[in-house]
Amino acid sequence: MRLPIIRQLVHFIQEKDEDFVLETIVTLEDLSINESLKDEEIDSIGELLSNLYGAIEVCKEINNGKSEREALNSFMQRVMGSIDNK
């Protein structure tokens, strides 16, 4: 996950609509089951999906009253915590 990409996606969702991102997620998830994809392509799709899901989570926190900075920091701390626990 890349914080600058998540931040840009958060701004996109705020300016446009979350539905665009949700439709992109559905499209990428469907594409990812294609058996002819190479490992690198699957990894790229997975990275995009992680950023898209991350942006949706950050937007939810912003909508619940957190500042953008707090929401981004909170999200990244959760991600890092889940990585550390593995």
Side-chain angles (χ1 to χ4, degrees):
M1 284 187 206
R2 302 223 19 236
L3 194 56
I5 293 173
I6 293 173
R7 183 179 291 122
Q8 183 171 348
L9 287 167
V10 166
H11 292 165
F12 177 85
I13 291 169
Q14 291 171 334
E15 290 175 12
K16 309 286 189 211
D17 193 332
E18 186 177 288
D19 289 340
F20 289 111
V21 173
L22 293 173
E23 290 172 4
T24 302
I25 287 171
V26 170
T27 303
L28 289 172
E29 286 178 342
D30 187 67
L31 180 62
S32 71
I33 61 173
N34 186 322
E35 293 179 9
S36 67
L37 291 176
K38 297 175 186 172
D39 288 342
E40 301 84 32
E41 294 168 327
I42 293 171
D43 290 344
S44 295
I45 292 171
E47 182 70 21
L48 288 169
L49 285 168
S50 295
N51 289 318
L52 291 164
Y53 277 117
I56 289 173
E57 288 299 313
V58 170
C59 281
K60 286 179 184 176
E61 290 189 31
I62 291 171
N63 291 338
N64 288 333
K66 286 188 178 181
S67 70
E68 179 181 321
R69 183 176 181 186
E70 289 174 323
L72 286 165
N73 286 337
S74 172
F75 176 74
M76 291 310 289
Q77 286 175 353
R78 284 197 321 263
V79 168
M80 295 308 290
S82 70
I83 293 171
D84 290 341
N85 291 330
K86 288 187 176 182

